[in-house]
Amino acid sequence: MAHHDLQTVSHECGDCPIRHRAVCARCEADELQRLEQIKYYRSFQAGQTVIWSGDRMDFVASVVTGIATLTQTMEDGRRQMVGLLLPSDFVGRPGRPTAAYDVTATTDLVMCCFRKKPFEELMSSTPHIAQRLLEMTLDELDAAREWMLLLGRKTAREKIASLLAIIARRDTHLKLKSAKGSIVFDLPLTREEMADYLGLTLETVSRQVSALKRDGVIELEGKRHVIVRDFDKLLEETGDDTDGGYLV
Amino acid sequence: MAHHDLQTVSHECGDCPIRHRAVCARCEADELQRLEQIKYYRSFQAGQTVIWSGDRMDFVASVVTGIATLTQTMEDGRRQMVGLLLPSDFVGRPGRPTAAYDVTATTDLVMCCFRKKPFEELMSSTPHIAQRLLEMTLDELDAAREWMLLLGRKTAREKIASLLAIIARRDTHLKLKSAKGSIVFDLPLTREEMADYLGLTLETVSRQVSALKRDGVIELEGKRHVIVRDFDKLLEETGDDTDGGYLV
DNA sequence: CGCAGAATTGATACATCTCAAGCTGGGTGG
DNA sequence: CCACCCAGCTTGAGATGTATCAATTCTGCG
């Protein structure tokens, strides 16, 4: 199954689905050509580990399709997710020899990998890649800081609502639907993965999801399919500023 | 007092204390010269606000001396620190018109500010600044992810020990002392600021500091002056891997 | 059909928060 | 010079939210 995907994904940068958002977004035709020479695709099945923290890592990569996670694990097994990688997101750090986090495919996953050494050379010779990477890294830093507020100060209910809102927003964004009206999406994470994202236990996640359902904030079809009839109602549960709202 | 500092800090990039670590670290003489033209110093007293989240911000800056914090505040007043800025750290985001976080001076502070527009132009015309900024941003992202593990999964005691270890490490780093033997430093944060850093209440911070003292992990002289006789003992309390340890 | 992984639900324990009362030390004005 | 004052801090007692441990119940699949 995994090798299947490999076949169906185009190897031409020109019609790559993440062409305009990934680290290569700003590249000119000649730069793309040089990237083509050092790239290769790798596929992973849902659940597979891409790389373990501490392992030698001689590539960097873009997520093409599917979802991956970055997690840290403490000696006694406590786990915290520290990154959720969607299509076009970048994995790996130029100049670092080993992986700093466990990288796991949570869905079937295709990555566009670049051999690290030549990628680094390309980065220093052409500014477009470094420029785009800086932009993406700054975005990730902002996301990490919002995540820190969630982990440090939000209640369990607010955490769940926030995660649902993030996924809903991303999904509507990808589907180019408006953020008004009913929003429907599938959770790409298990309850345990949600717990690792939010700094909770899976039982608490389950309870709070049930509570939001009971309170009419969300509807569920099966365990993973979520329907949000009133997105503003969900936003009110996140604890965030209702900006674009009454004040200002 | 604040204007005092302004006088004592050199305006020559050549002998600037953060010359080799800040965003300008990689700059050649001619690039420095262009930076000189768009830079100016600003001083703040301990406790002063540098900028409020949402305010227009037409400069970016490096911390020269002192310590500043980035914090997010929720509508009901819950606060989470999301950045601790030490000398050489960078503030602001090129390309963004407003501040995303509250920036506060926790000690007397001197910043080297660059007017944003010319700085952005300089960034796109010379790669050295963007290169260094990318490196610094990647470091910050790593720090943010370690911070996320702390916020999501560590106990109150582990959080305190981790913060003390971070400050101790930084201090010995700045003073070029070895990490062995007694380490002595002053806490640059109040109990409340520590709480905002760690996602705790100030009462819990106070209790856990007292507990670490009672258990002989640290000693206190006054409220702020900390003595760590055995750094490894402190590290054991952080919950982190004791790397360089027994295994591997 | 029946099994295994995922999810839910319940009962209880416990860590941290909340509210409240003092303490401490450095600065100030009488 | 002393008494007072106040912000920062500590400590206590009780409340509460989340974790933990333990049963079930779903759900998809061989």
Side-chain angles (χ1 to χ4, degrees), chain A residues 81-189:
Chain A
M81 198 184 295
V82 297
L84 185 61
L85 302 175
L86 307 176
S88 84
D89 282 341
F90 187 78
V91 192
R93 174 166 175 170
R96 169 182 295 171
T98 60
Y101 313 99
D102 297 334
V103 181
T104 311
T106 60
T107 65
D108 286 350
L109 180 72
V110 178
M111 299 204 313
C112 174
C113 305
F114 305 102
R115 288 183 292 125
K116 188 151 72 194
K117 194 77 187 308
F119 185 86
E120 286 163 3
E121 284 159 11
L122 203 47
M123 254 184 63
S124 51
S125 68
T126 86
H128 286 150
I129 296 175
Q131 272 173 22
R132 177 64 186 140
L133 187 54
L134 174 57
E135 201 169 55
M136 293 173 73
T137 306
L138 286 166
D139 284 341
E140 271 193 272
L141 187 55
D142 280 336
R145 284 171 168 163
E146 205 160 315
W147 202 336
M148 285 170 54
L149 175 65
L150 177 149
L151 291 172
R153 294 303 189 193
K154 288 191 176 178
T155 65
R157 169 181 264 244
E158 287 170 341
K159 285 178 175 181
I160 299 289
S162 299
L163 176 57
L164 293 175
I166 288 169
I167 295 173
R169 234 192 296 257
R170 165 181 72 74
D171 246 52
T172 49
H173 195 258
L174 289 182
K175 294 186 202 147
L176 300 168
K177 285 170 57 181
S178 94
K180 296 291 164 196
S182 281
I183 297 174
V184 175
F185 59 92
D186 284 301
L187 286 172
L189 304 175

Side-chain angles (χ1 to χ4, degrees), chain A residues 197-210:
Chain A
Y197 187 112
L198 300 170
L200 298 170
T201 58
L202 69 98
E203 293 95 330
T204 298
V205 169
S206 186
R207 275 186 248 275
Q208 296 296 338
V209 169
S210 298

Side-chain angles (χ1 to χ4, degrees), chain B residues 12-23:
Chain B
E12 297 283 322
C13 288
D15 44 60
C16 173
I18 58 169
R19 167 75 180 85
H20 54 303
R21 305 205 71 219
V23 72

Side-chain angles (χ1 to χ4, degrees), chain B residues 105-247:
Chain B
T106 60
T107 65
D108 286 350
L109 180 73
V110 178
M111 298 203 313
C112 174
C113 304
F114 305 102
R115 288 183 292 124
K116 188 149 73 194
K117 194 77 186 305
F119 184 86
E120 286 164 3
E121 285 159 9
L122 202 46
M123 253 184 62
S124 51
S125 68
T126 86
H128 286 150
I129 295 176
Q131 272 173 21
R132 177 66 186 137
L133 187 55
L134 174 58
E135 201 170 54
M136 293 173 72
T137 307
L138 286 167
D139 284 342
E140 271 194 274
L141 187 55
D142 280 337
R145 285 173 169 162
E146 204 162 313
W147 202 336
M148 284 170 55
L149 175 66
L150 177 149
L151 290 172
R153 294 305 190 191
K154 288 190 177 180
T155 65
R157 170 182 264 245
E158 288 169 341
K159 286 178 174 181
I160 299 289
S162 299
L163 176 56
L164 293 176
I166 288 169
I167 296 172
R169 231 190 299 257
R170 164 180 72 75
D171 246 53
T172 49
H173 195 258
L174 290 183
K175 294 186 202 147
L176 300 170
K177 285 169 57 182
S178 94
K180 295 295 164 193
S182 282
I183 297 173
V184 176
F185 59 92
D186 284 301
L187 286 172
L189 304 175
T190 65
R191 297 290 185 265
E192 185 170 21
E193 286 163 343
M194 290 172 69
D196 286 343
Y197 186 112
L198 300 170
L200 297 171
T201 58
L202 69 96
E203 293 94 331
T204 298
V205 169
S206 185
R207 275 186 249 275
Q208 296 295 338
V209 169
S210 298
L212 287 175
K213 181 180 164 192
R214 184 176 354 96
D215 299 345
V217 180
I218 59 171
E219 293 167 40
L220 283 182
E221 260 171 27
K223 310 299 187 186
R224 297 292 198 92
H225 195 71
V226 180
I227 302 167
V228 180
R229 298 240 178 265
D230 181 353
F231 193 62
D232 287 338
K233 196 163 166 189
L234 179 61
L235 286 184
E236 279 167 26
E237 297 287 350
T238 64
D240 293 328
D241 288 4
T242 50
D243 44 29
Y246 332 100
L247 304 160

Side-chain angles (χ1 to χ4, degrees), chain A residues 2-244:
Chain A
H3 358 71
H4 245 74
D5 293 349
L6 187 54
Q7 309 307 330
T8 60
V9 170
S10 167
H11 285 228
E12 297 284 322
C13 288
D15 46 61
C16 173
I18 58 169
R19 169 74 181 86
H20 52 305
R21 303 206 70 220
V23 72
C24 53
R26 298 262 185 77
C27 288
E28 311 285 356
D30 60 321
E31 293 163 339
L32 271 192
Q33 215 164 3
R34 294 182 62 190
L35 272 177
E36 294 254 25
Q37 287 164 15
I38 61 169
K39 90 180 190 197
Y40 56 97
Y41 289 89
R42 290 181 69 186
S43 297
F44 299 87
Q45 286 175 280
Q48 252 189 304
T49 295
V50 175
I51 197 162
W52 296 101
S53 169
D55 282 1
R56 170 150 217 89
M57 184 169 178
D58 35 32
F59 64 94
V60 296
S62 293
V63 174
V64 180
T65 59
I67 295 179
T69 61
L70 302 184
T71 57
Q72 281 193 292
T73 307
M74 294 171 70
E75 285 168 328
D76 60 4
R78 281 175 282 175
R79 285 162 53 87
Q80 177 63 50
M81 198 184 295
V82 297
L84 185 61
L85 302 175
L86 307 176
S88 84
D89 282 341
F90 187 78
V91 192
R93 174 166 175 170
R96 169 182 295 171
T98 60
Y101 313 99
D102 297 334
V103 181
T104 311
T106 60
T107 65
D108 286 350
L109 180 72
V110 178
M111 299 204 313
C112 174
C113 305
F114 305 102
R115 288 183 292 125
K116 188 151 72 194
K117 194 77 187 308
F119 185 86
E120 286 163 3
E121 284 159 11
L122 203 47
M123 254 184 63
S124 51
S125 68
T126 86
H128 286 150
I129 296 175
Q131 272 173 22
R132 177 64 186 140
L133 187 54
L134 174 57
E135 201 169 55
M136 293 173 73
T137 306
L138 286 166
D139 284 341
E140 271 193 272
L141 187 55
D142 280 336
R145 284 171 168 163
E146 205 160 315
W147 202 336
M148 285 170 54
L149 175 65
L150 177 149
L151 291 172
R153 294 303 189 193
K154 288 191 176 178
T155 65
R157 169 181 264 244
E158 287 170 341
K159 285 178 175 181
I160 299 289
S162 299
L163 176 57
L164 293 175
I166 288 169
I167 295 173
R169 234 192 296 257
R170 165 181 72 74
D171 246 52
T172 49
H173 195 258
L174 289 182
K175 294 186 202 147
L176 300 168
K177 285 170 57 181
S178 94
K180 296 291 164 196
S182 281
I183 297 174
V184 175
F185 59 92
D186 284 301
L187 286 172
L189 304 175
T190 64
R191 297 290 185 266
E192 185 170 21
E193 287 163 342
M194 291 172 68
D196 286 342
Y197 187 112
L198 300 170
L200 298 170
T201 58
L202 69 98
E203 293 95 330
T204 298
V205 169
S206 186
R207 275 186 248 275
Q208 296 296 338
V209 169
S210 298
L212 287 176
K213 181 181 164 190
R214 184 176 353 97
D215 298 345
V217 180
I218 60 171
E219 293 167 40
L220 283 182
E221 262 171 26
K223 311 298 187 185
R224 297 293 199 92
H225 195 72
V226 180
I227 302 167
V228 179
R229 299 240 177 265
D230 181 353
F231 193 62
D232 287 339
K233 196 163 166 190
L234 178 61
L235 286 184
E236 279 168 27
E237 298 287 350
T238 64
D240 292 328
D241 287 6
T242 51
D243 46 30

